[in-house]
Structures are given as C-alpha cells and as structure tokens.
C-alpha cells in the first residue's frame, strides 16, 4: 500500500494473502502518534479467512495485528519467525555483488548488497512455499505459480534506490551507493550494510537530504559518525524540506558525538552537493553515498545520467 493500509486505495482487492512488513514510527501526522495507532491502520488490510503473513514486530504492534487476525479468523504466520532482532538467522555475507547465506541446507543469494533485501526475498520464498502447500490450488493465480521460477527470479531482482550501486562519475573506480533510507530503522540498516562492505575503518562521502516530518536526529546519529564528509542538501521539490534546519541539527549532533564540524557542508542545490561530494570521493577513492529521501535519489539518477 502507499501509506497506512486501512484507507489505502489498494485495499479494495481481495488478495490470496495479506502481508505486513516491519512497522516503525513514520507518517505519524496521518497515521497516529504511536506504534499501536500505526499497527491499527496497517491491520486494516487483513481480510476474513484470508491468511496474513507478518514480519517480526515490536510487542505493541504485534498485539494489534494478532487481535485483528483472531477477530476475523485470518490465519497468522511469521515466515521469518517472531524475533524483531532476527538474531536466529545465520551470518549473511555481503560484497559488492550481493548478499548470500545458507539456511536449512539451501544456499540463497540476491544481487542487492543489503541484508534487508535478502531477508525480504527469504520472507517471500517462505510465504510462497506455505501458500502452495496450504491453499486451494484451484485458485487461478496459484495454478500459474511456478515456485522454482519465482525463487530464481527473486535471486536476480534488484530495486532502484535500495543499496543500488552505480559507477562514480569522473572515471573513478569508487562506487556511488543510492539508498532511500529515510527512517531510523532504515538508516541503521544502511549503516550496518556500509560497515560490512567497507570494514570498521571504511570511509565514504555522504550526501543527505531529508523531507520535513522525518526523524532528522535519529538518521543523523546513525550516519554522521561514519561519513568522511557530509553535504546537507534539498531532497527535490516534491515535498517540503528545510536543509538549513537539518544542517543546524547536524552540527549539534556532531558536537555531541565529538565529530569535526569542518566535515559538514551545506549545499541547498542538490546538483552542487553531488558535484562537490563526487569530486572529494574521487580524490580520495572512497564511495559516495546518497540517501535520506527517494526524491533526492530521483535528482541523483538524473545527475548520474547527465554525467555518463
């Protein structure tokens, strides 16, 4: 769904399954101020007697979802288990070619160098297997479902703006990483991916633009300490933003974490930010990471195409 669930336009269909992914505090001005409010809106996609597949959730969200499933007799399953920290999964190996791990004797690999993408694909694989084994196979969609072909397709699937690796302009071997992280959790996932790809002392140049209404501080706290230099910019014009406010807060976070304030720059024009950041990344042969908003990534895609 686009936002929420209960009132989303896609909620008019009757699906073969409902899926609820990880919930966190986002769009609180519309969905409500707490995780319980948000879970209640998401639970609006659950249908009577239609199975629900759920990512691990925090207890307050899980209570709402479980209660709704019980009320309308929707079988509730957890293809990745119920531990929100996912500590029971084997070690995943990341490199610039993707992510891989082995579970239950099955080797799994995706082309995206991000652990969350790999877990998303594993979730879908487990869900498809469960649907095939438990659902009425007379359903036309299920009759057409080639499980092995679906799993093979997942291994080749990439998503623009999710740990998307592109070549850096200026004929430099260092990559550009485009990631739409714009919440506390997604910024933390991006940070962990970068730590594994680059090593504990790895460096990168960061361009960060975040729309108003997002959790500025949490995102800054995740990413600033890792960045060699950060440019704060405007994430396009589709949504309101205030790069000056974000820059002031980035300076405050830098002081709190005893970071060098000279590693922070304000460039409200994203093209200026991209050019300055790419120049520094090229000089130091380190990656350029662009994140904070999918709208910013739209600007970055156009810039990269223009530079190619």
């Amino acid at each position: 769904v686009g936002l929420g669930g209960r009132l989303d336009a896609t909620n008019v269909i009757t699906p073969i399954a409902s899926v609820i992914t990880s919930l966190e505090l986002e769009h609180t001005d519309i969905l409500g101020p707490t995780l319980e409010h948000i879970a209640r809106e998401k639970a609006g996609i659950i249908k009577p007697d239609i199975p629900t597949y759920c990512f691990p959730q925090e207890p307050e969200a899980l209570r709402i979802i479980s209660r709704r499933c019980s009320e309308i007799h929707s079988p509730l399953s957890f293809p990745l288990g119920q531990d929100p920290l996912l500590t029971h999964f084997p070690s995943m190996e990341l490199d610039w070619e993707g992510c891989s791990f082995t579970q239950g004797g099955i080797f799994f690999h995706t082309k995206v160098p991000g652990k969350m993408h790999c877990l998303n694909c594993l979730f879908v694989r487990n869900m498809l297997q469960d649907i095939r084994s438990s659902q009425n196979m007379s359903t036309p969609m299920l009759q057409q479902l080639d499980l092995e072909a679906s799993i093979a397709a997942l291994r080749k699937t990439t998503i623009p703006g999710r740990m998307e690796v592109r070549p850096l302009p200026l004929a430099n071997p260092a990559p550009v990483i485009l990631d739409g992280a714009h919440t506390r959790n997604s910024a933390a996932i991006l940070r962990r991916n970068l730590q594994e790809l680059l090593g504990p002392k790895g460096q990168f140049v960061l361009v960060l633009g975040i729309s108003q209404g997002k959790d500025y501080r949490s995102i800054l706290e995740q990413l600033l300490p890792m960045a060699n230099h950060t440019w704060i910019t405007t994430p396009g014009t589709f949504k309101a933003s205030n790069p000056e406010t974000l820059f002031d807060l980035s300076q405050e976070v830098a002081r709190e974490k005893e970071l060098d304030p000279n590693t922070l720059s304000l460039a409200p024009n994203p093209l200026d930010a991209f050019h300055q950041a790419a120049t520094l990344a090229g000089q130091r042969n380190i990656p350029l990471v662009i994140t904070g908003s999918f709208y910013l990534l739209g600007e970055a895609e156009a810039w990269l195409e223009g530079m190619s």
Side-chain angles (χ1 to χ4, degrees), residues 204-209 220 223-233 246-247 250 254 259-267 273 276-277 280 288-289 291:
F204 62 88
V205 174
L206 177 66
V207 175
L208 184 64
L220 289 167
L223 299 177
L224 282 191
M226 281 193 68
N228 182 272
H229 196 107
T230 299
W231 272 266
I232 301 296
T233 192
L246 180 60
F247 181 69
S250 70
L259 305 175
D260 183 357
N262 293 318
T263 62
L264 300 173
S265 298
L266 174 64
Q276 294 169 25
L280 181 61
L288 166 60
V289 178
T291 190

Side-chain angles (χ1 to χ4, degrees), residues 58-90:
E58 296 299 330
E60 54 268 44
L62 181 58
R63 282 194 297 271
I64 300 295
I65 294 167
S66 299
R67 184 186 309 139
R68 182 58 179 163
C69 286
S70 178
E71 289 172 348
I72 61 176
H73 309 291
S74 169
L76 177 60
S77 301
F78 297 87
L80 298 181
Q82 296 192 50
D83 174 14
L85 299 178
L86 298 169
T87 55
H88 60 290
F89 279 93

